[in-house]
Amino acid sequence: MAKKQGIGLAIIAFAVYIIGGIGTFGGLALIFFMKNKDLMGWGEGRSIGYLFLCVGLCLSIMGVILMRVFRNRGL
């Protein structure tokens, strides 16, 4: 049972890491390609890009930390 839980937590950590990477590169794309354009009524594309960049970097860092913690738990 403990081995299944360890694999599930590792998959969740890896998913957080991947989502963070997608958010980071999506934010960079918005910053460079959506200057002074409205993004579906949410605001200027550049400002939303900065938000995606920062949140994506935080999620990537959190995913790496979670992977390290779950790997060293000893399950």
Side-chain angles (χ1 to χ4, degrees):
M1 180 68 183
K3 194 68 169 173
K4 281 187 177 181
Q5 184 182 13
I7 294 293
L9 292 174
I11 290 173
I12 290 171
F14 193 62
V16 168
Y17 175 69
I18 295 295
I19 291 169
I22 291 170
T24 299
F25 287 110
L28 285 173
L30 285 173
I31 290 169
F32 290 120
F33 298 126
M34 295 293 286
K35 291 181 183 175
N36 300 323
K37 295 181 184 175
D38 188 47
L39 186 68
M40 297 183 288
W42 290 357
E44 186 187 4
R46 193 173 191 182
S47 61
I48 302 295
Y50 283 122
L51 175 70
F52 281 7
L53 177 69
C54 294
V55 171
L57 286 174
C58 290
L59 285 176
S60 291
I61 292 168
M62 187 174 74
V64 169
I65 290 172
L66 287 174
M67 283 189 275
R68 296 294 296 173
V69 167
F70 295 148
R71 181 177 179 202
N72 293 327
R73 281 190 347 166
L75 290 179

